[in-house]
Amino acid sequence: MILGIGTDLANIERIAETLERFGDRFRDRVFTDVEQLKAERRRDVAGTYAKRWAAKEACSKALGTGLRMGISWKDMAVTNLQSGQPQMHLTGWAAERLANMTPEGYEAIVHVTLTDDHPWAQAFVIIEARPLP
């Protein structure tokens, strides 16, 4: 069953301007160390950050909170499998919210997909509940 759906569209140029203006202060407030390492190794640094920004926004919407109610940017993080497939990891308040919205006898699976077409970065997040075996 679907527990939540979220989407977000981020402007890559706006993220690039924010990175230029605020630098590490912005990076450290919003992105985990792993996300920063990934982005800084990429040719399109701003695009990589923009996709992760959009994923965090989309995830907060799928959780039904938006970025309020105690959720932190770093409570939601995007990593990639070796195949390149993105994965969303929840910690802190986001993980608590996910646990509270998951029905008893089910496990929550967070699906995320990212795309970009300059100047736009987009993310979709679907939270699924699957019955436990």
Side-chain angles (χ1 to χ4, degrees):
M1 89 178 70
I2 302 297
L3 298 178
I5 300 173
T7 185
D8 192 66
L9 185 65
N11 186 290
I12 295 169
E13 292 170 1
R14 191 181 116 220
I15 297 296
E17 290 168 7
T18 303
L19 288 164
E20 179 81 19
R21 184 170 177 199
F22 297 104
D24 286 343
R25 206 168 91 209
F26 171 66
R27 283 181 194 88
D28 293 341
R29 191 180 111 239
V30 176
F31 303 100
T32 65
D33 292 342
V34 172
E35 289 174 310
Q36 290 182 45
L37 286 170
K38 172 82 171 183
E40 297 299 327
R41 287 192 317 251
R42 302 296 295 270
R43 189 172 53 112
D44 184 10
V45 172
T48 302
Y49 279 122
K51 286 185 278 190
R52 278 146 181 77
W53 171 279
K56 292 167 187 272
E57 288 273 6
C59 186
S60 71
K61 293 171 186 174
L63 289 168
T65 64
L67 285 162
R68 57 183 176 84
M69 296 174 59
I71 202 166
S72 165
W73 287 103
K74 288 184 169 183
D75 285 349
M76 302 166 288
V78 177
T79 62
N80 295 84
L81 296 174
Q82 202 164 10
S83 66
Q85 178 183 347
Q87 289 189 303
M88 181 68 67
H89 299 278
L90 304 183
T91 59
W93 195 89
E96 289 176 32
R97 170 70 179 159
L98 181 62
N100 288 334
M101 64 191 285
T102 304
E104 192 172 319
Y106 286 79
E107 66 176 334
I109 310 295
V110 181
H111 304 276
V112 60
T113 187
L114 310 172
T115 192
D116 64 284
D117 187 8
H118 197 86
W120 301 107
Q122 186 174 34
F124 286 94
V125 171
I126 297 173
I127 300 174
E128 172 190 11
R130 291 184 188 162
L132 290 170

